[in-house]
Amino acid sequence: MRTSTPGTRNSPGFTLVELAVVLFVLGLILWTVAPRLSRVGDPGRAAVFRDLATGSEQAFDISLFEKRETRLVLSPSAGSYEFQRGDRPVDAPASPREFGTRLNVTGITVEGEERPLDIPTEIRFLPGGRVPAAWIFIEDKGDPANP
């Protein structure tokens, strides 16, 4: 025969209020963390600019010292960019890099001529280190979680 101790319950389960409090706290945690987790794989602004600068420097060095053409192909509508070497085989897989969700190309000017944003634009690094004057305008839409 079971005996009960005063002040304790007979059922070892949780009450409805306890479950509601736990679910509410978990909901608050997900509400604050989920927007940050959605951008985990997204490249940061500094990483994209560093990659563009490093790739441009390498492309210039290849064109100047190795006398080979290299191209920077910008696809604003796709949100990507890619450095292509002239000696790479045509069937070699391309590896475009993404600007990410925060960055948006708002304009491209090459040799004083504004280029349309709905088609890819090539900036050619010609043999001998000849590079056209080019401007790439990028807008940072910022972090929607921290306006």
Side-chain angles (χ1 to χ4, degrees):
M1 177 184 300
R2 282 182 131 192
T3 60
S4 63
T5 311
T8 62
R9 291 185 243 165
N10 290 337
S11 67
F14 296 105
T15 66
L16 185 59
V17 173
E18 291 170 333
L19 288 174
V21 168
V22 168
L23 289 176
F24 179 74
V25 169
L26 286 175
L28 281 176
I29 291 171
L30 284 174
W31 180 60
T32 58
V33 172
R36 291 189 180 112
L37 289 177
S38 68
R39 292 186 311 274
V40 166
D42 199 23
R45 175 180 177 236
V48 170
F49 291 158
R50 187 174 27 254
D51 190 43
L52 276 170
T54 303
S56 296
E57 186 176 345
Q58 289 174 349
F60 180 74
D61 288 346
I62 289 171
S63 71
L64 181 63
F65 299 118
E66 298 178 18
K67 307 285 190 259
R68 291 185 294 171
E69 181 177 329
T70 306
R71 296 181 181 118
L72 168 59
V73 180
L74 298 161
S75 300
S77 59
S80 64
Y81 62 97
E82 174 185 11
F83 287 94
Q84 296 177 346
R85 290 180 43 182
D87 60 345
R88 190 174 71 180
V90 176
D91 59 348
S95 60
R97 296 182 175 106
E98 301 293 323
F99 281 111
T101 56
R102 288 180 49 187
L103 299 178
N104 185 25
V105 177
T106 58
I108 302 172
T109 304
V110 179
E111 291 291 327
E113 176 187 336
E114 192 168 326
R115 301 292 174 98
L117 298 177
D118 56 344
I119 59 173
T121 296
E122 287 187 356
I123 299 173
R124 299 173 62 194
F125 294 80
L126 299 171
R130 294 174 298 167
V131 183
W135 292 82
I136 305 168
F137 300 96
I138 299 176
E139 173 190 27
D140 186 355
K141 293 185 264 185
D143 188 3
N146 297 323

